[in-house]
């Protein structure tokens, strides 16, 4: 399928020195919900603003539906944006805010009224049409910003940290609502966020950005289960990262030694014996197999001592320390009554094991 | 109870100086003028009375109410011209100048003349507009005029030019502040919704800068309305303004009661304008809450 947006080797350099976006190449498919994820300063917002036309790339091209829009001003692009702090016009009523994008289309007044009503209905604010923005709550203003941006049914809807100003409960509800709206309208959504949970919940595809570059792009589960680098592994979810040395490479597994423990990782990378690598293990993939006994641990098992227990409601996080001195996190689900009592106590020495499939292997140069 | 009063003492002490100042130099003089305005002129001085003859004279004698009307007209022209010049300038500074150093430099260039004596600034225009002046010499030198013209000075034109120059900082300052307060993403949002830069100016920037425009217009209008130096320096026979008439009533005409009545009328007009402008601004600000 032909992509709706093609970002073709785009760079943006501020003041001739600060590289905000560095040679990004990305295709966005029609109807996709794609999220640009990364910490502040990673270039995600600059990239979004270039799609909207507020920033012009210093190099590269942006195509919208096959047409080169690289240097088109914002008002001539068929995209609309939901701004981070909503950017509602304070001197206009909600209805006129929402109708703002229609004024240039020279529609009949009745048509405008009907469209505004429909759109306000869609975001559940039909009764607020005559209010002023400052009379609404944060969540309501968020919906107005959304209504204003979708009333023209743009080819692409851009969302700049749309939920960051809302409190936790409202944010979760809006995540679901945005997802529903995406399905209902069938528009392409491009969202920017620094919140990994938000990205995982809402996106069809996530683009993790780092220092102006794309660190990895993929579906949420791809990113979570097969992070391409330690950076992604740490930014999307949490990972235990243990340094080790490759001791053996075979067709079925790569064997890595870490301070007397042995990992047998799936052979997904080309490494040579003696090479320094990093093994990544998600805290929830570690199972407690028993207490430490005299027997040497088998492959993919770790002996450690519980230092702290953190109660998270539906799970408990054990902060452990390996005999090598490395810290290790382990999450245990509390699915059944009594599970909390059964969890290892502070100071207990336990053996943890992970499936070979759940291990991620990184080489040192992934670290970028 | 005693402790409570002691608590308030420092506050009262701080307030007392300006309070004494305001009472001595504002309220009492106003009260004196107000009282005088009801007195009777009786040659060679005036006697205490309570009658409205002075006020009646102002509104019956064309000599006085026409000066009031002319003063209003000149103040309006100065306000309009200042707005016409100040708004594009402030807009340019806030939205087009990228470097903040250049911006504050240009802003200061407009504000700096306020540090120069008012009299000097008004006088400068005499040397610019006079028949031997800079402008005339230039026009003759370029050949646009064959001989110097005296049409530039001693008329309402020269007064409007001079007063605009003198009071334009008071128009630039509030407009600049109002424009600076407009969140930049509102302008971006307008563009995002398909509105051209000119459309954004008309539909977003102008309405949101109205409080600044109203404040600037109020300053400029009221300051011009009470001005008496520019008419004296660059105004002609048709350039006499209300403040000049008041001065002459206290001076040559020796009719303090009429001068006081005129001053009271002037004060009331200015207060009405300030009140109106205040209400307008309050109405406009609601949206920005």
């Amino acid at each position: 399928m032909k992509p709706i947006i093609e970002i073709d080797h785009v760079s943006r350099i501020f003041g001739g020195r600060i590289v905000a976006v560095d040679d990004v190449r990305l295709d966005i498919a029609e109807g996709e919900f794609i999220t640009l994820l990364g910490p502040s300063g990673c270039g995600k917002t600059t990239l979004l603003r270039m799609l909207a036309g507020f920033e012009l790339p210093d190099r590269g091209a942006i195509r919208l539906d096959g047409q080169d829009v690289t240097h088109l001003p914002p008002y001539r692009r068929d995209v609309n944006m939901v701004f981070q702090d909503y950017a509602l016009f304070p001197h206009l009523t909600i209805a006129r805010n929402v109708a703002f994008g229609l004024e240039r289309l020279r529609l009949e007044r009745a048509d405008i009224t009907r469209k505004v009503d429909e759109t306000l209905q869609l975001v559940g604010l039909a009764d607020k049409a005559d209010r002023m923005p400052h009379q609404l709550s944060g969540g309501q203003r968020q919906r107005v910003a959304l209504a204003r941006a979708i009333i023209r049914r743009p080819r692409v809807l851009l969302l700049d940290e749309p939920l960051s100003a809302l409190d936790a409960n409202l944010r979760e509800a809006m995540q679901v609502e945005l997802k529903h709206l995406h399905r209902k309208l069938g528009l392409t959504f491009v969202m920017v966020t620094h919140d990994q949970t938000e990205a995982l919940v809402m996106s069809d595809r996530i683009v993790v950005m780092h220092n102006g570059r794309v660190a990895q792009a993929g579906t949420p589960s791809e990113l979570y289960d097969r992070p391409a680098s330690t950076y992604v592994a740490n930014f999307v979810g949490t990972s235990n990262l243990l340094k080790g040395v490759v001791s053996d490479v075979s067709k079925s597994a790569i064997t890595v030694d870490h301070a007397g423990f042995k990992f047998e990782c799936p052979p997904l990378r080309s490494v040579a014996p003696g090479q320094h690598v990093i093994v990544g293990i998600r805290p929830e993939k570690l199972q407690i197999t028993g207490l430490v006994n005299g027997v040497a641990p088998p492959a993919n098992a770790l002996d450690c001592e519980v230092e702290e227990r953190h109660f998270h409601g539906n799970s408990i996080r054990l902060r452990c320390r390996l005999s090598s001195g490395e810290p290790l996190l382990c999450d245990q689900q509390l699915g059944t009554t009594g599970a909390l009592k059964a969890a290892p106590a502070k100071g207990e020495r336990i053996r943890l094991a992970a499936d070979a499939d759940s291990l991620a292997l990184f080489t040192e140069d992934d670290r970028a | 109870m005693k402790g409570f009063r002691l608590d308030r003492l420092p506050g009262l002490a701080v307030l007392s100086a300006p309070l004494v100042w305001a009472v001595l130099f504002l309220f009492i003089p106003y009260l004196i003028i107000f009282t005088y305005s009801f007195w009777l002129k009786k040659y060679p001085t005036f006697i205490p009375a309570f009658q409205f003859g002075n006020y009646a004279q102002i509104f019956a004698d064309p000599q006085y109410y026409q000066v009031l009307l002319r003063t209003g007209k000149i103040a309006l022209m100065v306000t309009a011209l200042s707005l016409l010049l100040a708004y594009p300038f402030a807009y340019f500074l806030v939205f087009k100048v990228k470097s903040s150093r250049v911006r504050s430099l240009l802003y200061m260039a407009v504000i700096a003349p306020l540090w120069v004596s008012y009299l000097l600034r008004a006088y400068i225009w005499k040397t610019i507009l006079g028949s031997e002046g800079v402008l005339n010499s230039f026009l003759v030198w370029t050949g646009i005029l064959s001989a110097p013209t005296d049409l530039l000075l001693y008329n309402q034109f020269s007064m409007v030019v001079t007063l605009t120059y003198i009071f334009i900082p008071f128009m630039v300052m509030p407009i600049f502040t109002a424009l600076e307060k407009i969140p930049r993403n509102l302008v971006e949002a307008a563009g995002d919704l398909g509105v051209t830069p000119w459309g954004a100016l008309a539909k977003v920037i102008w309405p949101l800068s109205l409080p600044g425009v109203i404040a600037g217009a109020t300053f400029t209008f009221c300051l011009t309305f009470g001005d008496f130096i520019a008419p004296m320096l660059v105004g002609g026979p048709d350039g006499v303004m209300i403040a000049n008439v008041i001065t002459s009533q206290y001076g040559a005409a020796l009719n303090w009661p009429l001068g006081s009545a005129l001053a009271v009328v002037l004060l009331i007009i200015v207060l009405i304008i300030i009140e109106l402008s205040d209400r307008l601004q309050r109405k406009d600000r609601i949206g920005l809450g």
Side-chain angles (χ1 to χ4, degrees):
Chain A
M1 191 168 65
K2 212 173 142 28
I4 183 97
I5 290 182
E6 293 162 76
I7 300 169
D8 190 358
H9 297 286
V10 160
S11 296
R12 175 79 177 107
I13 299 143
F14 288 115
R17 290 175 293 121
I18 303 150
V19 183
V21 173
D22 187 5
D23 197 35
V24 167
R25 232 209 68 76
L26 183 69
D27 285 349
I28 297 170
E30 178 134 35
E32 200 174 15
F33 194 134
I34 196 162
T35 299
L36 307 176
L37 175 68
S40 60
C42 74
K44 57 189 194 300
T45 302
T46 308
L47 190 58
L48 192 79
R49 287 173 59 81
M50 285 195 285
L51 296 181
F54 301 138
E55 299 275 351
L56 298 181
D58 292 300
R59 278 199 292 275
I62 296 169
R63 282 180 289 277
L64 177 64
D65 205 10
Q67 186 209 354
D68 188 336
V69 298
T70 316
H71 296 286
L72 274 191
Y75 57 90
R76 290 180 55 198
R77 296 186 188 205
D78 198 6
V79 301
N80 282 128
M81 177 126 137
V82 176
F83 288 81
Q84 184 170 9
D85 40 14
Y86 318 141
L88 300 183
F89 302 117
H91 58 300
L92 301 179
T93 61
I94 299 313
R96 292 199 52 203
N97 260 283
V98 174
F100 202 88
L102 297 177
E103 290 185 22
R104 286 234 322 157
L105 303 181
R106 311 207 181 288
L107 299 176
E108 296 282 322
R109 178 169 286 223
D111 270 352
I112 293 182
T113 317
R114 185 178 47 77
K115 280 197 182 204
V116 170
D117 284 348
E118 271 174 22
T119 313
L120 281 176
Q121 205 105 48
L122 199 61
V123 297
L125 285 178
D127 56 328
K128 301 283 190 291
D130 296 323
R131 300 284 181 88
M132 298 302 279
H134 73 271
Q135 295 172 305
L136 302 191
S137 69
Q140 290 169 332
R141 272 185 247 184
Q142 220 285 319
R143 288 155 197 265
V144 177
L146 200 59
R148 188 178 68 174
I150 60 174
I151 195 165
R152 291 208 302 175
R153 297 293 188 272
R155 302 305 308 265
V156 177
L157 184 72
L158 307 172
L159 304 114
D160 185 8
E161 308 241 5
L163 308 179
S164 62
L166 304 178
D167 61 50
N169 285 332
L170 197 53
R171 196 181 310 156
E172 222 165 287
M174 277 308 287
Q175 285 173 3
V176 178
E177 225 171 292
L178 265 181
K179 197 79 190 122
H180 287 170
L181 201 63
H182 173 245
R183 208 172 305 143
K184 206 163 177 179
L185 297 175
L187 302 176
T188 311
F189 278 35
V190 182
M191 181 174 82
V192 153
T193 184
H194 61 264
D195 183 332
Q196 46 138 326
T197 319
E198 206 167 284
L200 289 172
V201 169
M202 298 170 76
S203 326
D204 295 328
R205 201 149 64 97
I206 299 175
V207 178
V208 180
M209 292 191 64
H210 183 43
N211 286 342
R213 290 170 169 274
V214 174
Q216 190 178 359
T219 64
S221 65
E222 270 168 19
L223 287 184
Y224 193 83
D225 293 333
R226 293 272 164 257
S229 61
T230 53
Y231 175 80
V232 175
N234 253 342
F235 201 83
V236 180
T238 314
S239 261
N240 294 298
L241 297 172
L242 301 171
K243 287 184 185 172
V245 178
V246 176
S247 61
D248 184 48
V249 179
S250 76
K251 269 218 177 84
S252 59
I254 300 168
T255 311
V256 177
D257 284 344
H258 167 84
F261 299 110
K262 203 181 280 177
F263 296 106
E264 283 177 350
C265 306
L268 299 171
R269 288 189 176 247
S270 65
V271 289
Q275 191 175 340
H276 289 269
V277 291
I278 295 162
V279 175
I281 315 166
R282 297 281 184 198
E284 76 278 10
K285 308 276 180 179
L286 285 166
Q287 296 298 319
I288 302 169
T289 56
L291 298 178
V292 173
N293 49 31
V295 188
N300 298 343
L302 296 158
D303 288 346
C304 58
E305 186 181 323
V306 179
E307 286 192 330
E308 279 177 57
R309 299 168 18 135
H310 293 181
F311 181 57
H312 283 253
N314 56 353
S315 68
I316 186 168
R317 169 161 289 183
L318 305 173
R319 287 186 173 270
C320 310
R321 198 160 290 277
L322 291 172
S323 48
S324 63
E326 293 271 341
L328 190 75
L329 298 179
C330 165
D331 288 347
Q332 294 299 309
Q333 285 301 313
L334 300 175
T336 54
T337 16
L340 182 61
K341 269 201 180 134
K346 207 174 133 179
E348 226 167 334
R349 291 174 50 77
I350 52 174
R351 176 162 292 170
L352 299 169
D355 276 349
D357 273 346
S358 65
L359 298 178
L361 188 66
F362 308 107
T363 52
E364 296 266 335
D365 33 294
D366 291 333
R367 288 205 123 171
Chain B
M1 196 66 196
K2 209 179 166 203
F4 171 73
R5 286 194 179 180
L6 275 177
D7 267 5
R8 286 185 50 169
L9 258 179
L12 282 174
V14 169
L15 271 178
S16 65
L19 212 66
V20 167
W21 178 276
V23 168
L24 270 182
F25 297 107
L26 284 171
F27 292 123
I28 292 177
Y30 280 145
L31 216 66
I32 294 172
I33 287 179
F34 193 63
T35 317
Y36 269 137
S37 71
F38 300 107
W39 284 20
L40 262 178
K41 180 185 153 94
K42 190 158 192 197
Y43 192 81
T45 55
F46 7 92
I47 51 167
F50 184 76
Q51 46 88 37
F52 293 87
N54 300 315
Y55 291 100
Q57 195 183 348
I58 292 171
F59 295 105
D61 189 339
Q63 195 189 332
Y64 298 115
Y65 67 73
Q66 270 176 3
V67 172
L68 267 177
L69 287 177
R70 180 195 304 146
T71 309
K73 187 181 103 185
I74 288 173
L76 269 181
M77 288 200 289
V78 170
T79 307
L81 187 61
S82 302
L83 180 62
L84 226 58
L85 293 170
Y87 200 91
F89 178 75
Y91 177 86
F92 173 77
L93 285 192
V94 173
F95 289 99
K96 297 292 166 194
V97 177
K98 294 271 185 288
S99 141
S100 65
R101 226 209 279 109
V102 175
R103 179 167 34 231
S104 45
L105 203 76
L106 287 172
Y107 183 66
M108 282 315 288
V110 173
I111 307 306
L114 287 180
W115 273 269
V116 177
S117 145
Y118 170 97
L119 205 60
L120 200 63
R121 281 184 291 145
Y123 205 81
I124 282 166
W125 282 95
K126 224 175 149 106
T127 50
I128 295 176
L129 298 173
S131 55
E132 303 282 299
V134 181
L135 190 56
N136 259 315
S137 313
F138 177 75
L139 290 175
V140 171
W141 179 72
T142 53
I144 293 171
L145 290 180
S146 54
T149 173
D150 53 6
L151 286 176
L152 296 175
L153 194 55
Y154 303 126
N155 51 31
Q156 291 190 4
F157 163 80
S158 57
M159 284 199 4
V160 171
V161 169
T162 306
L163 286 167
T164 302
Y165 167 73
I166 287 169
F167 292 131
I168 205 169
F170 296 98
M171 186 67 98
V172 172
M173 285 189 282
I175 292 178
F176 181 88
T177 313
L179 288 176
E180 249 195 342
K181 269 199 294 194
I182 297 174
R184 222 37 62 92
N185 62 9
L186 293 185
V187 184
E188 286 182 348
D192 187 65
L193 294 163
V195 173
T196 59
W198 282 107
L201 175 61
K203 285 179 188 161
V204 178
I205 297 173
W206 172 257
L208 289 178
S209 66
L210 269 183
V213 171
I214 293 167
T218 309
F219 286 146
T220 316
F221 187 89
C222 292
L223 286 170
T224 309
F225 205 83
D227 191 82
F228 75 103
I229 302 241
M232 268 165 58
L233 286 179
V234 299
D238 67 339
V240 174
M241 302 217 314
I242 189 69
N244 302 95
V245 177
I246 296 174
T247 327
S248 67
Q249 294 306 321
Y250 278 92
L254 208 69
N255 192 349
W256 290 21
L258 183 60
S260 301
L262 280 166
V264 170
V265 170
L266 175 66
L267 187 69
I268 288 171
I269 290 173
V270 167
L271 286 177
I272 287 172
I273 287 165
I274 291 174
E275 174 63 23
L276 282 180
S277 128
D278 197 48
R279 282 191 196 174
L280 262 177
Q281 280 190 51
R282 215 168 295 164
K283 202 179 117 230
D284 263 5
R285 280 226 182 89
I286 288 173
L288 283 163

